[in-house]
Amino acid sequence: MTAINQLKLTNYTNKRSTAMEKKPVKIVETVLRDGHQSLAATRMRISDMLPALEQLDNAGYYALEAWGGATFDSCLRFLNEDPWQRLRTLKKHLRKTPIQMLLRGQNILGYNHYADDVVREFVNRSVDNGVSIIRIFDALNDTRNLECAMRAAKEAGAHVQGCISYTLSPVHNNEYFAAYAKTLEEMGANSICIKDMAGLLRPYAAESLIRSLKAELDLPIDLHTHFTSGMGDMTYLKAVEAGADMIDTALSPFSESTSQPCTEALVATLEGTPYDTGISLAELNALADYFKDVRKNLIHDFNLNANIPIDPKVLTFQIPGGMLSNQMKEMGVADKYPQLLEEMPRVRAELGYPPLVTPTSQIVGSMSVLNVALGRYKMIPREVKDLILGKYGRTPGPIDPEVKRLAIGDAPQIDHRPADDIPPQMKKLREKLAEEGFPNAPIEDVLSYASFPEVTLNFLRHSNIGMKFHDL
Ligand code: CO
């Protein structure tokens, strides 16, 4: 390289600062979980992952988010894969980098609350089979729904990451989030994640939120955003400058749109600064080349939508476009989408401003569709009544009294931890699975059955044992 070229290169890369203390940012790579959950309908198979695992393991990531979320359901439902076997295979090949999973607190990986014995067993088996970091969230930010899972994860020796489900509303502000995070710290969290599932966290808001959290607690802070609104990179940069310790990114073929910001871009942004991640861009480029083909294959094999645009309207409506379009079509009111966009924020306010994440996004979404199609609160689904009754936990704001009257009349709302009403389930689940013809099922299968009964039975009956990647 000539001196002139070298000079040019230096001018265009980041200036090295000696004045500031080094504070390397840690990168959580999401290509094996959220990346393909967001952009490829969670269809990445273990066979797609295997050829890249060694290189992912050596890249220098803080963690690889690779399990939980929707991957468990997708394995059983669509991919003829045992999710537990996938986890063991991942663990076998990822010798250095911790595997991280996403857990919905008392909902585990399903949509309802489970008994404590199921939650404990699920967490135990996850750690035993290879998970090192468990990110645990609750849709309502009700700490009572995290207690059992957090305690179990701690006892199993995992790193417990307590989650803030981030949202915008008159009752959610920095003080609220900081107080919530403080409680998570007191409950034993090893780190805190700000989970911005819809990409609502704006750059300067991220800066002030991170500062508030840093002032309140001593734990490392991980920021998880989605590029949905088009602000993700800027949000990460301001968060890093404000002291965020980890950020979640996805390799370029599975980044941006509704997924995380791009790993290579963030690594390049921070290179040569006090926040330098220490990850080599050349390594990432090679990995990106590999995953580019994987994306192409998944789109082809599963006939997926290849083009998911960013959607800044999410900032106004807090719901990614298209999420409810199927439901609208089914109800024959596809043309009433503009009304729906007005109805959603209204319903959300009436239901006490829940953050919109599984399962509350579905609950608020369905209620809004029904209101638009049939008239306001003419038909109220059981899930909405349960939310109002307190069966999902405490809503952040109060429920509108008129809506409450329409939905549950004079029935009292529960004020205790919802799972206290659920008797132990493991023994019954075992018995049921035995009745279905699997008397000696390993405990992992019982937990799959607990999470997705029909899908699991179907898998157990039809899966070809030889296909389960025992030798990989
Ligand atoms: Co996410």
Side-chain angles (χ1 to χ4, degrees), residues 288-317:
D289 284 343
Y290 173 75
F291 280 106
K292 206 171 165 183
D293 285 338
V294 170
R295 174 103 194 264
K296 219 187 292 167
N297 292 339
L298 294 183
I299 285 168
H300 173 266
D301 296 353
F302 297 101
N303 196 19
L304 302 173
N305 180 5
N307 180 25
I308 303 171
I310 61 164
D311 183 13
K313 286 197 189 113
V314 74
L315 293 170
T316 313
F317 305 116

PDB file of all heavy atoms in Angstrom, residues 288-317:
ATOM      1  N   ALA A 288     -21.014 -13.339   6.769  1.00  0.00           N
ATOM      2  CA  ALA A 288     -22.139 -12.719   6.042  1.00  0.00           C
ATOM      3  C   ALA A 288     -22.317 -13.372   4.677  1.00  0.00           C
ATOM      4  O   ALA A 288     -23.444 -13.616   4.234  1.00  0.00           O
ATOM      5  CB  ALA A 288     -21.902 -11.220   5.905  1.00  0.00           C
ATOM      6  N   ASP A 289     -21.190 -13.674   4.014  1.00  0.00           N
ATOM      7  CA  ASP A 289     -21.283 -14.356   2.713  1.00  0.00           C
ATOM      8  C   ASP A 289     -22.018 -15.679   2.861  1.00  0.00           C
ATOM      9  O   ASP A 289     -22.869 -16.031   2.047  1.00  0.00           O
ATOM     10  CB  ASP A 289     -19.878 -14.635   2.147  1.00  0.00           C
ATOM     11  CG  ASP A 289     -19.252 -13.376   1.578  1.00  0.00           C
ATOM     12  OD1 ASP A 289     -19.996 -12.405   1.326  1.00  0.00           O
ATOM     13  OD2 ASP A 289     -18.010 -13.362   1.393  1.00  0.00           O
ATOM     14  N   TYR A 290     -21.668 -16.396   3.907  1.00  0.00           N
ATOM     15  CA  TYR A 290     -22.315 -17.686   4.126  1.00  0.00           C
ATOM     16  C   TYR A 290     -23.822 -17.501   4.362  1.00  0.00           C
ATOM     17  O   TYR A 290     -24.660 -18.165   3.735  1.00  0.00           O
ATOM     18  CB  TYR A 290     -21.676 -18.437   5.310  1.00  0.00           C
ATOM     19  CG  TYR A 290     -22.460 -19.678   5.634  1.00  0.00           C
ATOM     20  CD1 TYR A 290     -22.373 -20.799   4.818  1.00  0.00           C
ATOM     21  CD2 TYR A 290     -23.352 -19.704   6.704  1.00  0.00           C
ATOM     22  CE1 TYR A 290     -23.149 -21.924   5.059  1.00  0.00           C
ATOM     23  CE2 TYR A 290     -24.130 -20.816   6.958  1.00  0.00           C
ATOM     24  CZ  TYR A 290     -24.031 -21.927   6.136  1.00  0.00           C
ATOM     25  OH  TYR A 290     -24.819 -23.028   6.365  1.00  0.00           O
ATOM     26  N   PHE A 291     -24.186 -16.577   5.248  1.00  0.00           N
ATOM     27  CA  PHE A 291     -25.605 -16.424   5.602  1.00  0.00           C
ATOM     28  C   PHE A 291     -26.442 -15.792   4.481  1.00  0.00           C
ATOM     29  O   PHE A 291     -27.655 -15.895   4.473  1.00  0.00           O
ATOM     30  CB  PHE A 291     -25.752 -15.669   6.921  1.00  0.00           C
ATOM     31  CG  PHE A 291     -25.526 -16.557   8.109  1.00  0.00           C
ATOM     32  CD1 PHE A 291     -24.365 -16.482   8.862  1.00  0.00           C
ATOM     33  CD2 PHE A 291     -26.476 -17.508   8.460  1.00  0.00           C
ATOM     34  CE1 PHE A 291     -24.157 -17.327   9.951  1.00  0.00           C
ATOM     35  CE2 PHE A 291     -26.280 -18.357   9.540  1.00  0.00           C
ATOM     36  CZ  PHE A 291     -25.113 -18.259  10.283  1.00  0.00           C
ATOM     37  N   LYS A 292     -25.761 -15.139   3.548  1.00  0.00           N
ATOM     38  CA  LYS A 292     -26.464 -14.609   2.391  1.00  0.00           C
ATOM     39  C   LYS A 292     -27.105 -15.758   1.606  1.00  0.00           C
ATOM     40  O   LYS A 292     -28.258 -15.692   1.187  1.00  0.00           O
ATOM     41  CB  LYS A 292     -25.458 -13.866   1.499  1.00  0.00           C
ATOM     42  CG  LYS A 292     -26.059 -12.802   0.648  1.00  0.00           C
ATOM     43  CD  LYS A 292     -24.951 -12.008  -0.009  1.00  0.00           C
ATOM     44  CE  LYS A 292     -25.524 -11.185  -1.145  1.00  0.00           C
ATOM     45  NZ  LYS A 292     -24.499 -10.453  -1.860  1.00  0.00           N
ATOM     46  N   ASP A 293     -26.336 -16.831   1.441  1.00  0.00           N
ATOM     47  CA  ASP A 293     -26.864 -18.016   0.754  1.00  0.00           C
ATOM     48  C   ASP A 293     -27.969 -18.685   1.568  1.00  0.00           C
ATOM     49  O   ASP A 293     -28.958 -19.150   1.015  1.00  0.00           O
ATOM     50  CB  ASP A 293     -25.736 -19.027   0.494  1.00  0.00           C
ATOM     51  CG  ASP A 293     -24.837 -18.562  -0.647  1.00  0.00           C
ATOM     52  OD1 ASP A 293     -25.309 -17.744  -1.471  1.00  0.00           O
ATOM     53  OD2 ASP A 293     -23.670 -19.000  -0.704  1.00  0.00           O
ATOM     54  N   VAL A 294     -27.772 -18.720   2.885  1.00  0.00           N
ATOM     55  CA  VAL A 294     -28.795 -19.330   3.743  1.00  0.00           C
ATOM     56  C   VAL A 294     -30.120 -18.587   3.560  1.00  0.00           C
ATOM     57  O   VAL A 294     -31.168 -19.191   3.360  1.00  0.00           O
ATOM     58  CB  VAL A 294     -28.370 -19.299   5.236  1.00  0.00           C
ATOM     59  CG1 VAL A 294     -29.530 -19.708   6.136  1.00  0.00           C
ATOM     60  CG2 VAL A 294     -27.160 -20.200   5.472  1.00  0.00           C
ATOM     61  N   ARG A 295     -30.061 -17.254   3.580  1.00  0.00           N
ATOM     62  CA  ARG A 295     -31.286 -16.458   3.432  1.00  0.00           C
ATOM     63  C   ARG A 295     -31.967 -16.779   2.104  1.00  0.00           C
ATOM     64  O   ARG A 295     -33.186 -16.991   2.036  1.00  0.00           O
ATOM     65  CB  ARG A 295     -30.916 -14.966   3.516  1.00  0.00           C
ATOM     66  CG  ARG A 295     -32.057 -13.997   3.225  1.00  0.00           C
ATOM     67  CD  ARG A 295     -32.626 -13.382   4.482  1.00  0.00           C
ATOM     68  NE  ARG A 295     -33.900 -12.724   4.250  1.00  0.00           N
ATOM     69  CZ  ARG A 295     -34.035 -11.433   4.016  1.00  0.00           C
ATOM     70  NH1 ARG A 295     -32.976 -10.654   4.008  1.00  0.00           N
ATOM     71  NH2 ARG A 295     -35.233 -10.910   3.826  1.00  0.00           N
ATOM     72  N   LYS A 296     -31.130 -16.825   1.057  1.00  0.00           N
ATOM     73  CA  LYS A 296     -31.677 -17.118  -0.280  1.00  0.00           C
ATOM     74  C   LYS A 296     -32.375 -18.484  -0.279  1.00  0.00           C
ATOM     75  O   LYS A 296     -33.490 -18.620  -0.767  1.00  0.00           O
ATOM     76  CB  LYS A 296     -30.518 -17.101  -1.296  1.00  0.00           C
ATOM     77  CG  LYS A 296     -30.897 -16.456  -2.627  1.00  0.00           C
ATOM     78  CD  LYS A 296     -29.804 -16.599  -3.671  1.00  0.00           C
ATOM     79  CE  LYS A 296     -28.549 -15.799  -3.342  1.00  0.00           C
ATOM     80  NZ  LYS A 296     -27.374 -16.160  -4.175  1.00  0.00           N
ATOM     81  N   ASN A 297     -31.717 -19.473   0.315  1.00  0.00           N
ATOM     82  CA  ASN A 297     -32.294 -20.819   0.351  1.00  0.00           C
ATOM     83  C   ASN A 297     -33.598 -20.864   1.147  1.00  0.00           C
ATOM     84  O   ASN A 297     -34.555 -21.525   0.737  1.00  0.00           O
ATOM     85  CB  ASN A 297     -31.301 -21.822   0.971  1.00  0.00           C
ATOM     86  CG  ASN A 297     -30.096 -22.026   0.077  1.00  0.00           C
ATOM     87  OD1 ASN A 297     -30.153 -21.752  -1.123  1.00  0.00           O
ATOM     88  ND2 ASN A 297     -28.991 -22.483   0.654  1.00  0.00           N
ATOM     89  N   LEU A 298     -33.633 -20.167   2.276  1.00  0.00           N
ATOM     90  CA  LEU A 298     -34.846 -20.196   3.105  1.00  0.00           C
ATOM     91  C   LEU A 298     -36.009 -19.556   2.364  1.00  0.00           C
ATOM     92  O   LEU A 298     -37.136 -20.058   2.394  1.00  0.00           O
ATOM     93  CB  LEU A 298     -34.615 -19.466   4.436  1.00  0.00           C
ATOM     94  CG  LEU A 298     -33.610 -20.097   5.399  1.00  0.00           C
ATOM     95  CD1 LEU A 298     -33.540 -19.304   6.699  1.00  0.00           C
ATOM     96  CD2 LEU A 298     -33.982 -21.546   5.709  1.00  0.00           C
ATOM     97  N   ILE A 299     -35.737 -18.440   1.713  1.00  0.00           N
ATOM     98  CA  ILE A 299     -36.792 -17.751   0.965  1.00  0.00           C
ATOM     99  C   ILE A 299     -37.332 -18.677  -0.122  1.00  0.00           C
ATOM    100  O   ILE A 299     -38.546 -18.783  -0.324  1.00  0.00           O
ATOM    101  CB  ILE A 299     -36.249 -16.429   0.380  1.00  0.00           C
ATOM    102  CG1 ILE A 299     -36.118 -15.406   1.521  1.00  0.00           C
ATOM    103  CG2 ILE A 299     -37.155 -15.896  -0.727  1.00  0.00           C
ATOM    104  CD1 ILE A 299     -35.330 -14.176   1.168  1.00  0.00           C
ATOM    105  N   HIS A 300     -36.419 -19.397  -0.762  1.00  0.00           N
ATOM    106  CA  HIS A 300     -36.827 -20.331  -1.814  1.00  0.00           C
ATOM    107  C   HIS A 300     -37.571 -21.537  -1.232  1.00  0.00           C
ATOM    108  O   HIS A 300     -38.695 -21.846  -1.628  1.00  0.00           O
ATOM    109  CB  HIS A 300     -35.600 -20.783  -2.610  1.00  0.00           C
ATOM    110  CG  HIS A 300     -35.920 -21.872  -3.582  1.00  0.00           C
ATOM    111  ND1 HIS A 300     -35.774 -23.208  -3.276  1.00  0.00           N
ATOM    112  CD2 HIS A 300     -36.422 -21.825  -4.844  1.00  0.00           C
ATOM    113  CE1 HIS A 300     -36.156 -23.935  -4.305  1.00  0.00           C
ATOM    114  NE2 HIS A 300     -36.549 -23.130  -5.275  1.00  0.00           N
ATOM    115  N   ASP A 301     -36.951 -22.198  -0.248  1.00  0.00           N
ATOM    116  CA  ASP A 301     -37.505 -23.456   0.269  1.00  0.00           C
ATOM    117  C   ASP A 301     -38.859 -23.278   0.955  1.00  0.00           C
ATOM    118  O   ASP A 301     -39.687 -24.178   0.930  1.00  0.00           O
ATOM    119  CB  ASP A 301     -36.524 -24.109   1.263  1.00  0.00           C
ATOM    120  CG  ASP A 301     -35.222 -24.514   0.594  1.00  0.00           C
ATOM    121  OD1 ASP A 301     -35.145 -24.416  -0.653  1.00  0.00           O
ATOM    122  OD2 ASP A 301     -34.274 -24.915   1.312  1.00  0.00           O
ATOM    123  N   PHE A 302     -39.049 -22.132   1.594  1.00  0.00           N
ATOM    124  CA  PHE A 302     -40.297 -21.946   2.348  1.00  0.00           C
ATOM    125  C   PHE A 302     -41.205 -20.892   1.720  1.00  0.00           C
ATOM    126  O   PHE A 302     -42.189 -20.475   2.338  1.00  0.00           O
ATOM    127  CB  PHE A 302     -39.991 -21.596   3.816  1.00  0.00           C
ATOM    128  CG  PHE A 302     -39.274 -22.689   4.546  1.00  0.00           C
ATOM    129  CD1 PHE A 302     -37.909 -22.623   4.757  1.00  0.00           C
ATOM    130  CD2 PHE A 302     -39.969 -23.797   5.006  1.00  0.00           C
ATOM    131  CE1 PHE A 302     -37.242 -23.640   5.425  1.00  0.00           C
ATOM    132  CE2 PHE A 302     -39.317 -24.813   5.670  1.00  0.00           C
ATOM    133  CZ  PHE A 302     -37.941 -24.744   5.885  1.00  0.00           C
ATOM    134  N   ASN A 303     -40.852 -20.472   0.522  1.00  0.00           N
ATOM    135  CA  ASN A 303     -41.688 -19.529  -0.203  1.00  0.00           C
ATOM    136  C   ASN A 303     -41.984 -18.286   0.632  1.00  0.00           C
ATOM    137  O   ASN A 303     -43.145 -17.899   0.831  1.00  0.00           O
ATOM    138  CB  ASN A 303     -42.987 -20.242  -0.602  1.00  0.00           C
ATOM    139  CG  ASN A 303     -43.726 -19.490  -1.676  1.00  0.00           C
ATOM    140  OD1 ASN A 303     -43.136 -18.648  -2.360  1.00  0.00           O
ATOM    141  ND2 ASN A 303     -45.009 -19.766  -1.822  1.00  0.00           N
ATOM    142  N   LEU A 304     -40.928 -17.661   1.145  1.00  0.00           N
ATOM    143  CA  LEU A 304     -41.097 -16.534   2.071  1.00  0.00           C
ATOM    144  C   LEU A 304     -41.053 -15.192   1.339  1.00  0.00           C
ATOM    145  O   LEU A 304     -40.509 -15.097   0.239  1.00  0.00           O
ATOM    146  CB  LEU A 304     -39.974 -16.556   3.116  1.00  0.00           C
ATOM    147  CG  LEU A 304     -39.843 -17.808   3.970  1.00  0.00           C
ATOM    148  CD1 LEU A 304     -38.585 -17.719   4.824  1.00  0.00           C
ATOM    149  CD2 LEU A 304     -41.062 -18.004   4.851  1.00  0.00           C
ATOM    150  N   ASN A 305     -41.598 -14.206   1.989  1.00  0.00           N
ATOM    151  CA  ASN A 305     -41.519 -12.838   1.493  1.00  0.00           C
ATOM    152  C   ASN A 305     -40.065 -12.344   1.596  1.00  0.00           C
ATOM    153  O   ASN A 305     -39.499 -12.295   2.680  1.00  0.00           O
ATOM    154  CB  ASN A 305     -42.451 -11.970   2.345  1.00  0.00           C
ATOM    155  CG  ASN A 305     -42.435 -10.522   1.919  1.00  0.00           C
ATOM    156  OD1 ASN A 305     -41.786 -10.181   0.922  1.00  0.00           O
ATOM    157  ND2 ASN A 305     -43.139  -9.693   2.666  1.00  0.00           N
ATOM    158  N   ALA A 306     -39.484 -12.004   0.462  1.00  0.00           N
ATOM    159  CA  ALA A 306     -38.064 -11.639   0.458  1.00  0.00           C
ATOM    160  C   ALA A 306     -37.848 -10.170   0.787  1.00  0.00           C
ATOM    161  O   ALA A 306     -36.754  -9.750   1.142  1.00  0.00           O
ATOM    162  CB  ALA A 306     -37.461 -11.952  -0.898  1.00  0.00           C
ATOM    163  N   ASN A 307     -38.889  -9.393   0.689  1.00  0.00           N
ATOM    164  CA  ASN A 307     -38.713  -7.955   0.843  1.00  0.00           C
ATOM    165  C   ASN A 307     -39.604  -7.414   1.960  1.00  0.00           C
ATOM    166  O   ASN A 307     -40.801  -7.212   1.782  1.00  0.00           O
ATOM    167  CB  ASN A 307     -39.040  -7.270  -0.485  1.00  0.00           C
ATOM    168  CG  ASN A 307     -38.878  -5.770  -0.385  1.00  0.00           C
ATOM    169  OD1 ASN A 307     -38.131  -5.277   0.450  1.00  0.00           O
ATOM    170  ND2 ASN A 307     -39.601  -5.052  -1.217  1.00  0.00           N
ATOM    171  N   ILE A 308     -39.006  -7.200   3.127  1.00  0.00           N
ATOM    172  CA  ILE A 308     -39.776  -6.643   4.244  1.00  0.00           C
ATOM    173  C   ILE A 308     -39.267  -5.219   4.479  1.00  0.00           C
ATOM    174  O   ILE A 308     -38.161  -5.035   4.975  1.00  0.00           O
ATOM    175  CB  ILE A 308     -39.593  -7.501   5.514  1.00  0.00           C
ATOM    176  CG1 ILE A 308     -40.013  -8.947   5.209  1.00  0.00           C
ATOM    177  CG2 ILE A 308     -40.396  -6.936   6.669  1.00  0.00           C
ATOM    178  CD1 ILE A 308     -39.669  -9.935   6.316  1.00  0.00           C
ATOM    179  N   PRO A 309     -40.023  -4.212   4.091  1.00  0.00           N
ATOM    180  CA  PRO A 309     -39.525  -2.839   4.210  1.00  0.00           C
ATOM    181  C   PRO A 309     -39.562  -2.333   5.652  1.00  0.00           C
ATOM    182  O   PRO A 309     -40.256  -2.910   6.490  1.00  0.00           O
ATOM    183  CB  PRO A 309     -40.502  -2.046   3.348  1.00  0.00           C
ATOM    184  CG  PRO A 309     -41.757  -2.837   3.351  1.00  0.00           C
ATOM    185  CD  PRO A 309     -41.395  -4.270   3.573  1.00  0.00           C
ATOM    186  N   ILE A 310     -38.804  -1.265   5.920  1.00  0.00           N
ATOM    187  CA  ILE A 310     -38.946  -0.629   7.233  1.00  0.00           C
ATOM    188  C   ILE A 310     -40.283   0.108   7.253  1.00  0.00           C
ATOM    189  O   ILE A 310     -40.876   0.384   6.221  1.00  0.00           O
ATOM    190  CB  ILE A 310     -37.791   0.345   7.574  1.00  0.00           C
ATOM    191  CG1 ILE A 310     -37.707   1.495   6.568  1.00  0.00           C
ATOM    192  CG2 ILE A 310     -36.486  -0.390   7.688  1.00  0.00           C
ATOM    193  CD1 ILE A 310     -36.858   2.646   7.070  1.00  0.00           C
ATOM    194  N   ASP A 311     -40.772   0.404   8.454  1.00  0.00           N
ATOM    195  CA  ASP A 311     -42.123   0.932   8.591  1.00  0.00           C
ATOM    196  C   ASP A 311     -42.161   1.984   9.706  1.00  0.00           C
ATOM    197  O   ASP A 311     -42.581   1.699  10.816  1.00  0.00           O
ATOM    198  CB  ASP A 311     -43.061  -0.245   8.928  1.00  0.00           C
ATOM    199  CG  ASP A 311     -44.505   0.175   9.025  1.00  0.00           C
ATOM    200  OD1 ASP A 311     -44.832   1.309   8.596  1.00  0.00           O
ATOM    201  OD2 ASP A 311     -45.312  -0.612   9.546  1.00  0.00           O
ATOM    202  N   PRO A 312     -41.717   3.215   9.392  1.00  0.00           N
ATOM    203  CA  PRO A 312     -41.648   4.233  10.461  1.00  0.00           C
ATOM    204  C   PRO A 312     -43.010   4.543  11.085  1.00  0.00           C
ATOM    205  O   PRO A 312     -43.069   5.124  12.160  1.00  0.00           O
ATOM    206  CB  PRO A 312     -41.089   5.463   9.731  1.00  0.00           C
ATOM    207  CG  PRO A 312     -40.389   4.911   8.535  1.00  0.00           C
ATOM    208  CD  PRO A 312     -41.180   3.704   8.125  1.00  0.00           C
ATOM    209  N   LYS A 313     -44.109   4.126  10.446  1.00  0.00           N
ATOM    210  CA  LYS A 313     -45.431   4.376  11.041  1.00  0.00           C
ATOM    211  C   LYS A 313     -45.596   3.654  12.371  1.00  0.00           C
ATOM    212  O   LYS A 313     -46.484   3.974  13.147  1.00  0.00           O
ATOM    213  CB  LYS A 313     -46.529   3.912  10.083  1.00  0.00           C
ATOM    214  CG  LYS A 313     -46.725   4.835   8.895  1.00  0.00           C
ATOM    215  CD  LYS A 313     -48.066   4.570   8.232  1.00  0.00           C
ATOM    216  CE  LYS A 313     -48.175   5.327   6.932  1.00  0.00           C
ATOM    217  NZ  LYS A 313     -48.199   4.443   5.765  1.00  0.00           N
ATOM    218  N   VAL A 314     -44.726   2.667  12.599  1.00  0.00           N
ATOM    219  CA  VAL A 314     -44.805   1.952  13.869  1.00  0.00           C
ATOM    220  C   VAL A 314     -44.670   2.933  15.034  1.00  0.00           C
ATOM    221  O   VAL A 314     -45.200   2.714  16.121  1.00  0.00           O
ATOM    222  CB  VAL A 314     -43.713   0.844  13.933  1.00  0.00           C
ATOM    223  CG1 VAL A 314     -42.334   1.433  14.151  1.00  0.00           C
ATOM    224  CG2 VAL A 314     -44.026  -0.168  15.017  1.00  0.00           C
ATOM    225  N   LEU A 315     -43.992   4.054  14.801  1.00  0.00           N
ATOM    226  CA  LEU A 315     -43.822   5.057  15.864  1.00  0.00           C
ATOM    227  C   LEU A 315     -45.156   5.661  16.274  1.00  0.00           C
ATOM    228  O   LEU A 315     -45.363   6.039  17.414  1.00  0.00           O
ATOM    229  CB  LEU A 315     -42.877   6.166  15.394  1.00  0.00           C
ATOM    230  CG  LEU A 315     -41.432   5.722  15.185  1.00  0.00           C
ATOM    231  CD1 LEU A 315     -40.627   6.800  14.501  1.00  0.00           C
ATOM    232  CD2 LEU A 315     -40.814   5.351  16.528  1.00  0.00           C
ATOM    233  N   THR A 316     -46.060   5.757  15.335  1.00  0.00           N
ATOM    234  CA  THR A 316     -47.379   6.313  15.624  1.00  0.00           C
ATOM    235  C   THR A 316     -48.320   5.242  16.171  1.00  0.00           C
ATOM    236  O   THR A 316     -49.062   5.481  17.114  1.00  0.00           O
ATOM    237  CB  THR A 316     -47.987   6.910  14.344  1.00  0.00           C
ATOM    238  OG1 THR A 316     -46.993   7.720  13.717  1.00  0.00           O
ATOM    239  CG2 THR A 316     -49.204   7.756  14.655  1.00  0.00           C
ATOM    240  N   PHE A 317     -48.274   4.053  15.556  1.00  0.00           N
ATOM    241  CA  PHE A 317     -49.296   3.057  15.886  1.00  0.00           C
ATOM    242  C   PHE A 317     -48.788   1.939  16.783  1.00  0.00           C
ATOM    243  O   PHE A 317     -49.565   1.139  17.284  1.00  0.00           O
ATOM    244  CB  PHE A 317     -49.878   2.477  14.596  1.00  0.00           C
ATOM    245  CG  PHE A 317     -50.408   3.546  13.690  1.00  0.00           C
ATOM    246  CD1 PHE A 317     -49.844   3.766  12.453  1.00  0.00           C
ATOM    247  CD2 PHE A 317     -51.454   4.362  14.103  1.00  0.00           C
ATOM    248  CE1 PHE A 317     -50.323   4.766  11.625  1.00  0.00           C
ATOM    249  CE2 PHE A 317     -51.939   5.363  13.285  1.00  0.00           C
ATOM    250  CZ  PHE A 317     -51.365   5.573  12.037  1.00  0.00           C
TER     251      PHE A 317
END
